[in-house]
Amino acid sequence: MASRDVRAGESRMPPEVVFALMSLCFLGVNDFLYKWGQQWEMRSGPFMFLQNMAYLPNAFGLAYYRDELILNPGLAFGFINGILAFTAFLFVLLALRRGEAVALVPIVRLNFAVTAALTIFFLGESVNLIKGFALVLAALAVMAGGSVAAASVGDKRSVGLAIGAMCMFGVIGLFYKLGLGMGAKPAMMTAMQSVGVFCMAVPFMLIQKDPLPRRGVPLWIPFVCGVLTSSSYVAIAVGFTYGEAVVVAPIAQLSFVLTGVLAIIFLREKLTFRKGVGVAFAVASVILFSRG
C-alpha cells in the first residue's frame, strides 16, 4: 500500500509545472483576445489604462484571498516589475506598428532564455541534461511559431524594440525570484507590480490624450485582459516558490500554442506545417521539464 502511494506521488506533475501551465493558459487566452480585438483599432493609452483598472483590484483580491497582504522589502522588486512590464508592453506595440507580428513576437517570447540565464548566473539555479534539452526545444517551438530570420531584414528599429521588450520581460522573471527570496508573497508581488504599472499608465494616457471608450468591445476587452494578465503573473509567481525559474518561465512562455489553437478555431487561421512543428516541440518541452 505504501509503495503504491509513493508511485502515485512520483507520477504526479510537479507543482511548479502545474502553475506554469496555469500561467500559460491565462496568457494564451489573453493574447487571443488581444489579437481578436485588433479589428476595433484599440488605442494603446486607453487600453493599457483600462487593463490596469482590472489588473489592480484582481491582483489585490487574489492577495487577500491567499492571505498574502503582507508588506515586505522584496515587494520593491514587484513595483519595479510594473515599470518594466509597462515599458516592455509599450515597446511591443511600437514594434508591431512597423514590423510583422509573425517575425517580432517570437523574439519577445524568447524572454524565458534571458530569465534562465540570469537566474543561473545570479541565483545558481541548476541545469541538467534534460532541462537543457527542454530549453532548446522551447526555443525551437517559439522560433517555429514565426520567422525570426525574417525580422532581420526588416525595420531595424522594430527588431531593436522587440529585443528590448524581450530583455525587460526576462529581467522581470529574475526580479520575481529575488523578491520571493526576500520573503515577499507571490500574489502581493503581482499586486505591487500593478501599482508600478498604474504609476506609468495614468501619465501615459494623459500625454496621449486619447478618449476612453464608452461601450462595446474596446471597453470590455481591456478589463478581461487585465484579469487574465494578473492571474497569469500570480500563477507564475506561485510556480517560482515551488521550483526554479529555468523550468517555470519557459513553460509559461509557450502560451502562443494555445493562442494559435484558439485562432485556428475561432478566427479560421490555417494550421501550417511550421505551426504544427512548433506545437510538437512545445509539448515535448513541457513533458521534459515535468520529468527533469
mmCIF file of all heavy atoms in Angstrom, residues 26 29-44 46-55 89 213-230 267:
data_model
loop_
_atom_site.group_PDB
_atom_site.id
_atom_site.type_symbol
_atom_site.label_atom_id
_atom_site.label_comp_id
_atom_site.label_asym_id
_atom_site.label_seq_id
_atom_site.Cartn_x
_atom_site.Cartn_y
_atom_site.Cartn_z
ATOM 1 N N PHE A 26 -3.724 31.276 -19.018
ATOM 2 C CA PHE A 26 -4.189 32.655 -18.871
ATOM 3 C C PHE A 26 -3.586 33.551 -19.955
ATOM 4 O O PHE A 26 -4.282 34.356 -20.579
ATOM 5 C CB PHE A 26 -3.811 33.197 -17.489
ATOM 6 C CG PHE A 26 -4.580 32.578 -16.356
ATOM 7 C CD1 PHE A 26 -3.925 32.148 -15.208
ATOM 8 C CD2 PHE A 26 -5.954 32.416 -16.428
ATOM 9 C CE1 PHE A 26 -4.629 31.588 -14.160
ATOM 10 C CE2 PHE A 26 -6.670 31.847 -15.382
ATOM 11 C CZ PHE A 26 -6.004 31.426 -14.243
ATOM 12 N N VAL A 29 -5.071 32.754 -23.608
ATOM 13 C CA VAL A 29 -6.393 33.342 -23.845
ATOM 14 C C VAL A 29 -6.287 34.861 -23.947
ATOM 15 O O VAL A 29 -6.941 35.501 -24.788
ATOM 16 C CB VAL A 29 -7.369 32.949 -22.722
ATOM 17 C CG1 VAL A 29 -8.717 33.635 -22.911
ATOM 18 C CG2 VAL A 29 -7.556 31.436 -22.686
ATOM 19 N N ASN A 30 -5.446 35.461 -23.086
ATOM 20 C CA ASN A 30 -5.249 36.911 -23.117
ATOM 21 C C ASN A 30 -4.735 37.369 -24.488
ATOM 22 O O ASN A 30 -5.255 38.333 -25.076
ATOM 23 C CB ASN A 30 -4.263 37.312 -22.026
ATOM 24 C CG ASN A 30 -3.947 38.795 -22.035
ATOM 25 O OD1 ASN A 30 -4.703 39.612 -21.514
ATOM 26 N ND2 ASN A 30 -2.821 39.161 -22.627
ATOM 27 N N ASP A 31 -3.720 36.682 -25.010
ATOM 28 C CA ASP A 31 -3.158 37.061 -26.310
ATOM 29 C C ASP A 31 -4.167 36.876 -27.439
ATOM 30 O O ASP A 31 -4.203 37.663 -28.392
ATOM 31 C CB ASP A 31 -1.898 36.238 -26.596
ATOM 32 C CG ASP A 31 -0.738 36.633 -25.689
ATOM 33 O OD1 ASP A 31 -0.856 37.661 -25.004
ATOM 34 O OD2 ASP A 31 0.267 35.907 -25.656
ATOM 35 N N PHE A 32 -4.992 35.830 -27.324
ATOM 36 C CA PHE A 32 -6.012 35.618 -28.343
ATOM 37 C C PHE A 32 -7.025 36.768 -28.344
ATOM 38 O O PHE A 32 -7.393 37.283 -29.416
ATOM 39 C CB PHE A 32 -6.745 34.295 -28.101
ATOM 40 C CG PHE A 32 -8.007 34.161 -28.890
ATOM 41 C CD1 PHE A 32 -7.970 33.904 -30.252
ATOM 42 C CD2 PHE A 32 -9.249 34.329 -28.282
ATOM 43 C CE1 PHE A 32 -9.139 33.803 -30.997
ATOM 44 C CE2 PHE A 32 -10.422 34.238 -29.018
ATOM 45 C CZ PHE A 32 -10.366 33.979 -30.382
ATOM 46 N N LEU A 33 -7.477 37.175 -27.150
ATOM 47 C CA LEU A 33 -8.441 38.275 -27.063
ATOM 48 C C LEU A 33 -7.845 39.573 -27.586
ATOM 49 O O LEU A 33 -8.535 40.349 -28.263
ATOM 50 C CB LEU A 33 -8.901 38.454 -25.614
ATOM 51 C CG LEU A 33 -9.825 37.362 -25.060
ATOM 52 C CD1 LEU A 33 -10.128 37.622 -23.601
ATOM 53 C CD2 LEU A 33 -11.106 37.277 -25.869
ATOM 54 N N TYR A 34 -6.561 39.780 -27.290
ATOM 55 C CA TYR A 34 -5.925 40.994 -27.787
ATOM 56 C C TYR A 34 -5.847 40.974 -29.313
ATOM 57 O O TYR A 34 -6.103 41.987 -29.970
ATOM 58 C CB TYR A 34 -4.524 41.135 -27.203
ATOM 59 C CG TYR A 34 -3.832 42.405 -27.646
ATOM 60 C CD1 TYR A 34 -4.241 43.633 -27.152
ATOM 61 C CD2 TYR A 34 -2.807 42.360 -28.576
ATOM 62 C CE1 TYR A 34 -3.622 44.799 -27.571
ATOM 63 C CE2 TYR A 34 -2.184 43.524 -28.997
ATOM 64 C CZ TYR A 34 -2.592 44.737 -28.485
ATOM 65 O OH TYR A 34 -1.996 45.887 -28.915
ATOM 66 N N LYS A 35 -5.527 39.817 -29.864
ATOM 67 C CA LYS A 35 -5.451 39.692 -31.316
ATOM 68 C C LYS A 35 -6.833 39.836 -31.942
ATOM 69 O O LYS A 35 -6.993 40.516 -32.966
ATOM 70 C CB LYS A 35 -4.850 38.332 -31.682
ATOM 71 C CG LYS A 35 -4.619 38.142 -33.170
ATOM 72 C CD LYS A 35 -3.856 36.859 -33.431
ATOM 73 C CE LYS A 35 -3.543 36.700 -34.914
ATOM 74 N NZ LYS A 35 -2.759 35.473 -35.189
ATOM 75 N N TRP A 36 -7.851 39.227 -31.344
ATOM 76 C CA TRP A 36 -9.213 39.312 -31.844
ATOM 77 C C TRP A 36 -9.738 40.743 -31.792
ATOM 78 O O TRP A 36 -10.458 41.199 -32.681
ATOM 79 C CB TRP A 36 -10.110 38.396 -31.025
ATOM 80 C CG TRP A 36 -11.561 38.465 -31.391
ATOM 81 C CD1 TRP A 36 -12.155 37.989 -32.517
ATOM 82 C CD2 TRP A 36 -12.604 39.056 -30.609
ATOM 83 N NE1 TRP A 36 -13.510 38.243 -32.485
ATOM 84 C CE2 TRP A 36 -13.814 38.902 -31.331
ATOM 85 C CE3 TRP A 36 -12.631 39.695 -29.367
ATOM 86 C CZ2 TRP A 36 -15.027 39.362 -30.838
ATOM 87 C CZ3 TRP A 36 -13.849 40.154 -28.885
ATOM 88 C CH2 TRP A 36 -15.022 39.985 -29.623
ATOM 89 N N GLY A 37 -9.362 41.480 -30.760
ATOM 90 C CA GLY A 37 -9.865 42.829 -30.583
ATOM 91 C C GLY A 37 -9.202 43.875 -31.450
ATOM 92 O O GLY A 37 -9.666 45.028 -31.484
ATOM 93 N N GLN A 38 -8.146 43.515 -32.183
ATOM 94 C CA GLN A 38 -7.439 44.499 -33.001
ATOM 95 C C GLN A 38 -8.306 45.060 -34.130
ATOM 96 O O GLN A 38 -8.043 46.153 -34.626
ATOM 97 C CB GLN A 38 -6.169 43.877 -33.596
ATOM 98 C CG GLN A 38 -5.063 43.637 -32.591
ATOM 99 C CD GLN A 38 -4.685 44.894 -31.824
ATOM 100 O OE1 GLN A 38 -4.317 45.910 -32.411
ATOM 101 N NE2 GLN A 38 -4.785 44.836 -30.510
ATOM 102 N N GLN A 39 -9.352 44.346 -34.502
ATOM 103 C CA GLN A 39 -10.221 44.832 -35.582
ATOM 104 C C GLN A 39 -10.991 46.079 -35.179
ATOM 105 O O GLN A 39 -11.533 46.788 -36.024
ATOM 106 C CB GLN A 39 -11.183 43.731 -36.002
ATOM 107 C CG GLN A 39 -12.031 43.165 -34.880
ATOM 108 C CD GLN A 39 -12.790 41.911 -35.280
ATOM 109 O OE1 GLN A 39 -13.572 41.941 -36.219
ATOM 110 N NE2 GLN A 39 -12.554 40.814 -34.571
ATOM 111 N N TRP A 40 -11.015 46.371 -33.858
ATOM 112 C CA TRP A 40 -11.668 47.583 -33.388
ATOM 113 C C TRP A 40 -10.678 48.737 -33.214
ATOM 114 O O TRP A 40 -11.032 49.791 -32.714
ATOM 115 C CB TRP A 40 -12.396 47.328 -32.072
ATOM 116 C CG TRP A 40 -13.705 46.635 -32.272
ATOM 117 C CD1 TRP A 40 -14.926 47.206 -32.493
ATOM 118 C CD2 TRP A 40 -13.930 45.225 -32.301
ATOM 119 N NE1 TRP A 40 -15.894 46.251 -32.655
ATOM 120 C CE2 TRP A 40 -15.315 45.018 -32.535
ATOM 121 C CE3 TRP A 40 -13.102 44.106 -32.154
ATOM 122 C CZ2 TRP A 40 -15.868 43.741 -32.618
ATOM 123 C CZ3 TRP A 40 -13.654 42.846 -32.249
ATOM 124 C CH2 TRP A 40 -15.023 42.666 -32.475
ATOM 125 N N GLU A 41 -9.423 48.543 -33.594
ATOM 126 C CA GLU A 41 -8.394 49.576 -33.565
ATOM 127 C C GLU A 41 -8.312 50.259 -32.197
ATOM 128 O O GLU A 41 -8.450 51.475 -32.058
ATOM 129 C CB GLU A 41 -8.645 50.620 -34.653
ATOM 130 C CG GLU A 41 -8.584 50.050 -36.060
ATOM 131 C CD GLU A 41 -8.776 51.111 -37.127
ATOM 132 O OE1 GLU A 41 -9.025 52.284 -36.754
ATOM 133 O OE2 GLU A 41 -8.683 50.784 -38.320
ATOM 134 N N MET A 42 -8.082 49.463 -31.178
ATOM 135 C CA MET A 42 -7.993 49.985 -29.818
ATOM 136 C C MET A 42 -6.710 50.790 -29.627
ATOM 137 O O MET A 42 -5.638 50.371 -30.040
ATOM 138 C CB MET A 42 -8.065 48.834 -28.810
ATOM 139 C CG MET A 42 -9.387 48.100 -28.819
ATOM 140 S SD MET A 42 -9.445 46.705 -27.696
ATOM 141 C CE MET A 42 -8.301 45.588 -28.493
ATOM 142 N N ARG A 43 -6.828 51.929 -28.980
ATOM 143 C CA ARG A 43 -5.694 52.806 -28.715
ATOM 144 C C ARG A 43 -4.887 52.299 -27.532
ATOM 145 O O ARG A 43 -5.442 51.816 -26.536
ATOM 146 C CB ARG A 43 -6.183 54.229 -28.437
ATOM 147 C CG ARG A 43 -6.969 54.848 -29.591
ATOM 148 C CD ARG A 43 -6.037 55.202 -30.728
ATOM 149 N NE ARG A 43 -6.746 55.870 -31.825
ATOM 150 C CZ ARG A 43 -6.149 56.341 -32.908
ATOM 151 N NH1 ARG A 43 -4.845 56.199 -33.038
ATOM 152 N NH2 ARG A 43 -6.846 56.933 -33.865
ATOM 153 N N SER A 44 -3.554 52.429 -27.625
ATOM 154 C CA SER A 44 -2.677 51.865 -26.600
ATOM 155 C C SER A 44 -2.861 52.518 -25.238
ATOM 156 O O SER A 44 -2.876 51.836 -24.206
ATOM 157 C CB SER A 44 -1.215 51.978 -27.049
ATOM 158 O OG SER A 44 -0.872 53.332 -27.293
ATOM 159 N N PRO A 46 -5.590 54.268 -23.708
ATOM 160 C CA PRO A 46 -6.798 53.819 -23.004
ATOM 161 C C PRO A 46 -6.804 52.324 -22.707
ATOM 162 O O PRO A 46 -7.262 51.897 -21.642
ATOM 163 C CB PRO A 46 -7.928 54.187 -23.978
ATOM 164 C CG PRO A 46 -7.383 55.308 -24.777
ATOM 165 C CD PRO A 46 -5.921 55.005 -24.938
ATOM 166 N N PHE A 47 -6.281 51.516 -23.657
ATOM 167 C CA PHE A 47 -6.262 50.066 -23.447
ATOM 168 C C PHE A 47 -5.430 49.711 -22.213
ATOM 169 O O PHE A 47 -5.874 48.955 -21.344
ATOM 170 C CB PHE A 47 -5.695 49.358 -24.671
ATOM 171 C CG PHE A 47 -5.653 47.856 -24.536
ATOM 172 C CD1 PHE A 47 -6.732 47.087 -24.934
ATOM 173 C CD2 PHE A 47 -4.544 47.220 -23.996
ATOM 174 C CE1 PHE A 47 -6.710 45.702 -24.799
ATOM 175 C CE2 PHE A 47 -4.512 45.849 -23.853
ATOM 176 C CZ PHE A 47 -5.593 45.086 -24.249
ATOM 177 N N MET A 48 -4.221 50.262 -22.125
ATOM 178 C CA MET A 48 -3.345 49.920 -21.011
ATOM 179 C C MET A 48 -3.875 50.465 -19.691
ATOM 180 O O MET A 48 -3.710 49.847 -18.638
ATOM 181 C CB MET A 48 -1.932 50.431 -21.310
ATOM 182 C CG MET A 48 -1.309 49.747 -22.524
ATOM 183 S SD MET A 48 0.281 50.441 -23.029
ATOM 184 C CE MET A 48 1.361 49.714 -21.815
ATOM 185 N N PHE A 49 -4.540 51.622 -19.728
ATOM 186 C CA PHE A 49 -5.134 52.179 -18.509
ATOM 187 C C PHE A 49 -6.281 51.309 -18.022
ATOM 188 O O PHE A 49 -6.343 50.929 -16.844
ATOM 189 C CB PHE A 49 -5.628 53.603 -18.776
ATOM 190 C CG PHE A 49 -6.358 54.217 -17.607
ATOM 191 C CD1 PHE A 49 -5.668 54.704 -16.519
ATOM 192 C CD2 PHE A 49 -7.754 54.276 -17.609
ATOM 193 C CE1 PHE A 49 -6.345 55.260 -15.430
ATOM 194 C CE2 PHE A 49 -8.431 54.832 -16.543
ATOM 195 C CZ PHE A 49 -7.729 55.323 -15.453
ATOM 196 N N LEU A 50 -7.220 50.966 -18.926
ATOM 197 C CA LEU A 50 -8.369 50.144 -18.537
ATOM 198 C C LEU A 50 -7.944 48.738 -18.132
ATOM 199 O O LEU A 50 -8.517 48.143 -17.215
ATOM 200 C CB LEU A 50 -9.374 50.075 -19.695
ATOM 201 C CG LEU A 50 -10.098 51.380 -20.033
ATOM 202 C CD1 LEU A 50 -10.960 51.196 -21.278
ATOM 203 C CD2 LEU A 50 -10.939 51.848 -18.860
ATOM 204 N N GLN A 51 -6.933 48.210 -18.805
ATOM 205 C CA GLN A 51 -6.432 46.880 -18.440
ATOM 206 C C GLN A 51 -5.928 46.878 -17.005
ATOM 207 O O GLN A 51 -6.203 45.960 -16.238
ATOM 208 C CB GLN A 51 -5.309 46.466 -19.396
ATOM 209 C CG GLN A 51 -4.686 45.118 -19.055
ATOM 210 C CD GLN A 51 -3.649 44.677 -20.070
ATOM 211 O OE1 GLN A 51 -3.961 43.969 -21.002
ATOM 212 N NE2 GLN A 51 -2.420 45.115 -19.893
ATOM 213 N N ASN A 52 -5.222 47.939 -16.634
ATOM 214 C CA ASN A 52 -4.695 48.006 -15.276
ATOM 215 C C ASN A 52 -5.792 48.256 -14.247
ATOM 216 O O ASN A 52 -5.657 47.889 -13.084
ATOM 217 C CB ASN A 52 -3.630 49.091 -15.166
ATOM 218 C CG ASN A 52 -2.771 48.915 -13.928
ATOM 219 O OD1 ASN A 52 -2.117 47.891 -13.757
ATOM 220 N ND2 ASN A 52 -2.788 49.903 -13.040
ATOM 221 N N MET A 53 -6.903 48.902 -14.677
ATOM 222 C CA MET A 53 -8.024 49.113 -13.771
ATOM 223 C C MET A 53 -8.661 47.788 -13.352
ATOM 224 O O MET A 53 -9.300 47.696 -12.306
ATOM 225 C CB MET A 53 -9.071 50.014 -14.441
ATOM 226 C CG MET A 53 -8.680 51.478 -14.536
ATOM 227 S SD MET A 53 -8.396 52.268 -12.914
ATOM 228 C CE MET A 53 -6.617 52.087 -12.737
ATOM 229 N N ALA A 54 -8.514 46.767 -14.180
ATOM 230 C CA ALA A 54 -8.975 45.431 -13.803
ATOM 231 C C ALA A 54 -7.847 44.630 -13.159
ATOM 232 O O ALA A 54 -8.077 43.837 -12.239
ATOM 233 C CB ALA A 54 -9.500 44.691 -15.034
ATOM 234 N N TYR A 55 -6.620 44.841 -13.659
ATOM 235 C CA TYR A 55 -5.442 44.137 -13.144
ATOM 236 C C TYR A 55 -5.252 44.419 -11.661
ATOM 237 O O TYR A 55 -5.057 43.500 -10.849
ATOM 238 C CB TYR A 55 -4.220 44.604 -13.949
ATOM 239 C CG TYR A 55 -2.914 43.907 -13.654
ATOM 240 C CD1 TYR A 55 -2.267 43.162 -14.632
ATOM 241 C CD2 TYR A 55 -2.299 44.005 -12.407
ATOM 242 C CE1 TYR A 55 -1.057 42.539 -14.385
ATOM 243 C CE2 TYR A 55 -1.091 43.394 -12.148
ATOM 244 C CZ TYR A 55 -0.477 42.660 -13.146
ATOM 245 O OH TYR A 55 0.717 42.044 -12.897
ATOM 246 N N PHE A 89 5.654 46.232 -22.701
ATOM 247 C CA PHE A 89 4.432 46.115 -23.494
ATOM 248 C C PHE A 89 4.331 47.259 -24.494
ATOM 249 O O PHE A 89 3.914 47.064 -25.644
ATOM 250 C CB PHE A 89 3.218 46.105 -22.575
ATOM 251 C CG PHE A 89 1.916 45.851 -23.295
ATOM 252 C CD1 PHE A 89 1.672 44.646 -23.928
ATOM 253 C CD2 PHE A 89 0.926 46.823 -23.327
ATOM 254 C CE1 PHE A 89 0.478 44.409 -24.592
ATOM 255 C CE2 PHE A 89 -0.269 46.596 -23.984
ATOM 256 C CZ PHE A 89 -0.495 45.382 -24.614
ATOM 257 N N PRO A 213 -12.894 54.566 -24.254
ATOM 258 C CA PRO A 213 -14.099 54.012 -24.908
ATOM 259 C C PRO A 213 -15.252 53.947 -23.911
ATOM 260 O O PRO A 213 -15.047 53.713 -22.719
ATOM 261 C CB PRO A 213 -13.654 52.616 -25.342
ATOM 262 C CG PRO A 213 -12.536 52.268 -24.409
ATOM 263 C CD PRO A 213 -11.828 53.558 -24.124
ATOM 264 N N ARG A 214 -16.460 54.128 -24.393
ATOM 265 C CA ARG A 214 -17.634 54.161 -23.519
ATOM 266 C C ARG A 214 -18.446 52.875 -23.562
ATOM 267 O O ARG A 214 -19.232 52.616 -22.646
ATOM 268 C CB ARG A 214 -18.521 55.346 -23.901
ATOM 269 C CG ARG A 214 -17.847 56.701 -23.681
ATOM 270 C CD ARG A 214 -18.805 57.835 -24.002
ATOM 271 N NE ARG A 214 -18.174 59.137 -23.762
ATOM 272 C CZ ARG A 214 -18.786 60.305 -23.947
ATOM 273 N NH1 ARG A 214 -20.062 60.314 -24.384
ATOM 274 N NH2 ARG A 214 -18.153 61.438 -23.712
ATOM 275 N N ARG A 215 -18.290 52.076 -24.601
ATOM 276 C CA ARG A 215 -19.088 50.857 -24.709
ATOM 277 C C ARG A 215 -18.429 49.903 -25.718
ATOM 278 O O ARG A 215 -17.477 50.259 -26.396
ATOM 279 C CB ARG A 215 -20.512 51.182 -25.164
ATOM 280 C CG ARG A 215 -20.594 51.857 -26.506
ATOM 281 C CD ARG A 215 -22.040 52.202 -26.882
ATOM 282 N NE ARG A 215 -22.106 52.845 -28.196
ATOM 283 C CZ ARG A 215 -21.934 54.137 -28.396
ATOM 284 N NH1 ARG A 215 -21.669 54.932 -27.370
ATOM 285 N NH2 ARG A 215 -22.011 54.646 -29.616
ATOM 286 N N GLY A 216 -18.988 48.705 -25.788
ATOM 287 C CA GLY A 216 -18.548 47.747 -26.789
ATOM 288 C C GLY A 216 -17.252 47.036 -26.458
ATOM 289 O O GLY A 216 -16.745 47.097 -25.331
ATOM 290 N N VAL A 217 -16.714 46.370 -27.461
ATOM 291 C CA VAL A 217 -15.506 45.563 -27.304
ATOM 292 C C VAL A 217 -14.310 46.366 -26.785
ATOM 293 O O VAL A 217 -13.593 45.899 -25.893
ATOM 294 C CB VAL A 217 -15.152 44.871 -28.644
ATOM 295 C CG1 VAL A 217 -13.826 44.134 -28.538
ATOM 296 C CG2 VAL A 217 -16.266 43.900 -29.029
ATOM 297 N N PRO A 218 -14.034 47.583 -27.306
ATOM 298 C CA PRO A 218 -12.877 48.346 -26.804
ATOM 299 C C PRO A 218 -12.956 48.647 -25.315
ATOM 300 O O PRO A 218 -11.934 48.941 -24.696
ATOM 301 C CB PRO A 218 -12.937 49.639 -27.629
ATOM 302 C CG PRO A 218 -13.648 49.271 -28.879
ATOM 303 C CD PRO A 218 -14.685 48.283 -28.443
ATOM 304 N N LEU A 219 -14.164 48.565 -24.728
ATOM 305 C CA LEU A 219 -14.309 48.826 -23.295
ATOM 306 C C LEU A 219 -14.102 47.576 -22.458
ATOM 307 O O LEU A 219 -13.387 47.611 -21.452
ATOM 308 C CB LEU A 219 -15.690 49.419 -23.013
ATOM 309 C CG LEU A 219 -16.009 49.714 -21.532
ATOM 310 C CD1 LEU A 219 -15.038 50.738 -20.972
ATOM 311 C CD2 LEU A 219 -17.447 50.190 -21.386
ATOM 312 N N TRP A 220 -14.714 46.432 -22.883
ATOM 313 C CA TRP A 220 -14.659 45.257 -22.008
ATOM 314 C C TRP A 220 -13.433 44.379 -22.216
ATOM 315 O O TRP A 220 -12.989 43.694 -21.280
ATOM 316 C CB TRP A 220 -15.934 44.427 -22.112
ATOM 317 C CG TRP A 220 -16.226 43.755 -23.415
ATOM 318 C CD1 TRP A 220 -17.088 44.170 -24.381
ATOM 319 C CD2 TRP A 220 -15.685 42.502 -23.892
ATOM 320 N NE1 TRP A 220 -17.116 43.284 -25.437
ATOM 321 C CE2 TRP A 220 -16.266 42.240 -25.157
ATOM 322 C CE3 TRP A 220 -14.758 41.583 -23.380
ATOM 323 C CZ2 TRP A 220 -15.961 41.114 -25.910
ATOM 324 C CZ3 TRP A 220 -14.447 40.448 -24.126
ATOM 325 C CH2 TRP A 220 -15.040 40.225 -25.366
ATOM 326 N N ILE A 221 -12.848 44.385 -23.407
ATOM 327 C CA ILE A 221 -11.673 43.535 -23.625
ATOM 328 C C ILE A 221 -10.496 43.909 -22.712
ATOM 329 O O ILE A 221 -9.852 43.026 -22.140
ATOM 330 C CB ILE A 221 -11.244 43.562 -25.105
ATOM 331 C CG1 ILE A 221 -11.960 42.460 -25.869
ATOM 332 C CG2 ILE A 221 -9.742 43.355 -25.264
ATOM 333 C CD1 ILE A 221 -11.384 42.110 -27.209
ATOM 334 N N PRO A 222 -10.177 45.211 -22.531
ATOM 335 C CA PRO A 222 -9.078 45.537 -21.613
ATOM 336 C C PRO A 222 -9.313 45.032 -20.195
ATOM 337 O O PRO A 222 -8.361 44.586 -19.529
ATOM 338 C CB PRO A 222 -9.030 47.071 -21.652
ATOM 339 C CG PRO A 222 -9.621 47.435 -22.955
ATOM 340 C CD PRO A 222 -10.684 46.412 -23.212
ATOM 341 N N PHE A 223 -10.572 45.061 -19.732
ATOM 342 C CA PHE A 223 -10.872 44.580 -18.383
ATOM 343 C C PHE A 223 -10.632 43.073 -18.276
ATOM 344 O O PHE A 223 -10.035 42.595 -17.304
ATOM 345 C CB PHE A 223 -12.320 44.913 -18.012
ATOM 346 C CG PHE A 223 -12.525 46.343 -17.620
ATOM 347 C CD1 PHE A 223 -13.096 47.238 -18.508
ATOM 348 C CD2 PHE A 223 -12.134 46.808 -16.378
ATOM 349 C CE1 PHE A 223 -13.292 48.567 -18.160
ATOM 350 C CE2 PHE A 223 -12.314 48.132 -16.014
ATOM 351 C CZ PHE A 223 -12.883 49.018 -16.903
ATOM 352 N N VAL A 224 -11.084 42.325 -19.260
ATOM 353 C CA VAL A 224 -10.876 40.872 -19.251
ATOM 354 C C VAL A 224 -9.384 40.550 -19.326
ATOM 355 O O VAL A 224 -8.876 39.680 -18.603
ATOM 356 C CB VAL A 224 -11.623 40.201 -20.424
ATOM 357 C CG1 VAL A 224 -11.308 38.711 -20.475
ATOM 358 C CG2 VAL A 224 -13.120 40.417 -20.297
ATOM 359 N N CYS A 225 -8.665 41.270 -20.188
ATOM 360 C CA CYS A 225 -7.227 41.046 -20.319
ATOM 361 C C CYS A 225 -6.496 41.395 -19.024
ATOM 362 O O CYS A 225 -5.496 40.758 -18.671
ATOM 363 C CB CYS A 225 -6.663 41.879 -21.469
ATOM 364 S SG CYS A 225 -7.153 41.283 -23.111
ATOM 365 N N GLY A 226 -6.981 42.408 -18.302
ATOM 366 C CA GLY A 226 -6.362 42.759 -17.023
ATOM 367 C C GLY A 226 -6.478 41.643 -16.007
ATOM 368 O O GLY A 226 -5.522 41.330 -15.281
ATOM 369 N N VAL A 227 -7.664 41.008 -15.950
ATOM 370 C CA VAL A 227 -7.870 39.890 -15.026
ATOM 371 C C VAL A 227 -6.988 38.707 -15.422
ATOM 372 O O VAL A 227 -6.340 38.071 -14.574
ATOM 373 C CB VAL A 227 -9.354 39.471 -15.013
ATOM 374 C CG1 VAL A 227 -9.546 38.189 -14.191
ATOM 375 C CG2 VAL A 227 -10.220 40.588 -14.443
ATOM 376 N N LEU A 228 -6.931 38.407 -16.722
ATOM 377 C CA LEU A 228 -6.126 37.280 -17.189
ATOM 378 C C LEU A 228 -4.638 37.506 -16.955
ATOM 379 O O LEU A 228 -3.915 36.599 -16.529
ATOM 380 C CB LEU A 228 -6.395 37.040 -18.684
ATOM 381 C CG LEU A 228 -7.774 36.498 -19.046
ATOM 382 C CD1 LEU A 228 -7.987 36.541 -20.562
ATOM 383 C CD2 LEU A 228 -7.944 35.073 -18.537
ATOM 384 N N THR A 229 -4.182 38.732 -17.233
ATOM 385 C CA THR A 229 -2.755 39.021 -17.071
ATOM 386 C C THR A 229 -2.328 38.925 -15.616
ATOM 387 O O THR A 229 -1.298 38.327 -15.284
ATOM 388 C CB THR A 229 -2.427 40.427 -17.613
ATOM 389 O OG1 THR A 229 -2.846 40.520 -18.975
ATOM 390 C CG2 THR A 229 -0.934 40.693 -17.533
ATOM 391 N N SER A 230 -3.117 39.540 -14.709
ATOM 392 C CA SER A 230 -2.755 39.486 -13.290
ATOM 393 C C SER A 230 -2.800 38.054 -12.771
ATOM 394 O O SER A 230 -1.933 37.640 -11.986
ATOM 395 C CB SER A 230 -3.690 40.377 -12.471
ATOM 396 O OG SER A 230 -5.039 39.989 -12.624
ATOM 397 N N LEU A 267 -10.843 32.131 -35.395
ATOM 398 C CA LEU A 267 -10.517 33.128 -36.418
ATOM 399 C C LEU A 267 -10.224 32.494 -37.770
ATOM 400 O O LEU A 267 -9.870 33.185 -38.716
ATOM 401 C CB LEU A 267 -9.308 33.965 -35.963
ATOM 402 C CG LEU A 267 -9.475 34.724 -34.645
ATOM 403 C CD1 LEU A 267 -8.225 35.531 -34.332
ATOM 404 C CD2 LEU A 267 -10.701 35.625 -34.685
#
